[in-house]
Amino acid sequence: MNPQVRQLFQELADLSAAERKRILGERRIAPGICAEVESLLSFDASGDQQFSNCVAAFADEMQREATAGEPAACGPYRLVRLLGTGGMGAVYLGERMDGEIQRNVAVKILRDAARPAWRERFQKERQLLSSLNHPSIAQVFDAGHDIHGRPYLVMEYVDGLPIDSFAAELPLRQKLELFLQICDAVGYAHQHLIIHRDLKPSNILVDASGRPKLLDFGIAKLMDQAGGSTGTVERLLTPSYASPE
């Protein structure tokens, strides 16, 4: 970027339109420089509006969830406490209420079942996970719909730490052993034509036995078996952990 353009943008960004026009006129800035600065200022203003719209939409969604109240159960599973929330769903620690099986589970519920795209993606995650059986991929136990019609997924509960926290003080050899186990799990998913697309520390927990577990296939993609391509234009990702391209 032209240094003069950068300096003017930083100087004018927080001023009113009238003040910007006055300053550019008094300094007799070249037309080309003015056009570039005004383009940047316009983009910056539209970006602020887009951000405000996103915040407003998110606030509306949170308000709907608050008025709907916390779910108490999903099918035969009582929800004990909230474990975490993500882009599409909330995950609860659950336990069977009917006494048939004594086991803690993780119950993931779609937050807004009224969105067709979210429902379809959540249903796809349930189907993808049910087809995988690997010691380093969280296992699926059950699935269904709650009393409000929201789909839920019952998974293995992993009581562990994110892999970066767990491995922080480990010797290099043990870090590499963990890494190889994750590579094996990812390779297994790829052999089944499934690409996770959101590998990050919070989606890889290490349990008390030292076994890493790969979680959250919410934005995973099933490859086209004919062409071997994901064929998607959706930009679903975690920016801090996505590849630059």
Side-chain angles (χ1 to χ4, degrees):
M1 180 185 294
N2 185 302
Q4 186 180 8
V5 171
R6 180 187 294 109
Q7 181 179 347
L8 283 169
F9 172 77
Q10 294 173 346
E11 184 178 346
L12 303 177
D14 296 327
L15 301 181
S16 66
E19 281 294 299
R20 294 170 180 172
K21 184 176 181 180
R22 180 184 62 79
I23 291 174
L24 291 173
E26 288 178 351
R27 297 187 185 178
R28 300 180 183 274
I29 305 297
I33 297 293
C34 280
E36 190 169 350
V37 171
E38 288 169 353
S39 175
L40 288 171
L41 292 170
S42 175
F43 181 82
D44 181 60
S46 65
D48 287 344
Q49 185 59 49
Q50 291 172 4
F51 178 75
S52 298
N53 291 341
C54 287
V55 170
F58 184 74
D60 288 343
E61 181 182 324
M62 292 299 101
Q63 179 63 30
R64 288 198 304 272
E65 291 181 14
T67 54
E70 288 291 318
C74 286
Y77 301 93
R78 183 173 70 88
L79 304 183
V80 179
R81 61 183 172 87
L82 181 68
L83 294 175
T85 58
M88 294 189 301
V91 181
Y92 294 83
L93 175 64
E95 60 183 15
R96 292 277 301 214
M97 296 186 294
D98 54 14
E100 294 290 338
I101 298 176
Q102 299 262 338
R103 176 167 56 186
N104 286 335
V105 294
V107 182
K108 183 174 182 179
I109 309 173
L110 181 64
R111 283 209 312 250
D112 190 350
R115 300 188 183 186
W118 282 24
R119 177 180 282 273
E120 181 181 353
R121 193 172 295 128
F122 191 85
Q123 301 278 29
K124 182 183 69 176
E125 179 185 11
R126 299 199 309 184
Q127 191 61 42
L128 291 180
L129 281 173
S130 68
S131 69
L132 300 178
N133 182 19
H134 188 279
S136 288
I137 296 178
Q139 187 178 355
V140 170
F141 297 140
D142 201 356
H145 292 77
D146 68 5
I147 59 174
H148 302 292
R150 295 178 299 185
Y152 66 83
L153 176 64
V154 181
M155 301 174 291
E156 174 184 1
Y157 170 57
V158 182
D159 186 9
L161 294 173
I163 192 170
D164 56 343
S165 299
F166 182 88
E169 303 299 326
L170 292 181
L172 178 60
R173 176 176 290 276
Q174 290 180 258
K175 289 180 179 178
L176 291 175
E177 288 173 354
L178 277 177
F179 177 71
L180 290 175
Q181 290 181 68
I182 292 300
C183 288
D184 189 63
V186 173
Y188 171 85
H190 288 179
Q191 288 170 9
H192 288 73
L193 304 180
I194 295 171
I195 300 177
H196 188 283
R197 299 203 299 174
D198 198 21
L199 294 172
K200 57 186 178 182
S202 61
N203 281 341
I204 305 172
L205 299 185
V206 184
D207 64 19
S209 70
R211 163 73 66 177
K213 295 280 186 175
L214 184 55
L215 312 172
D216 199 351
F217 281 71
I219 63 172
K221 187 72 178 179
L222 182 63
M223 289 191 294
D224 179 356
Q225 297 189 31
S229 169
T230 62
T232 181
V233 295
E234 293 178 295
R235 294 181 179 178
L236 300 170
L237 46 85
T238 301
S240 298
Y241 294 97
S243 57
E245 63 273 15

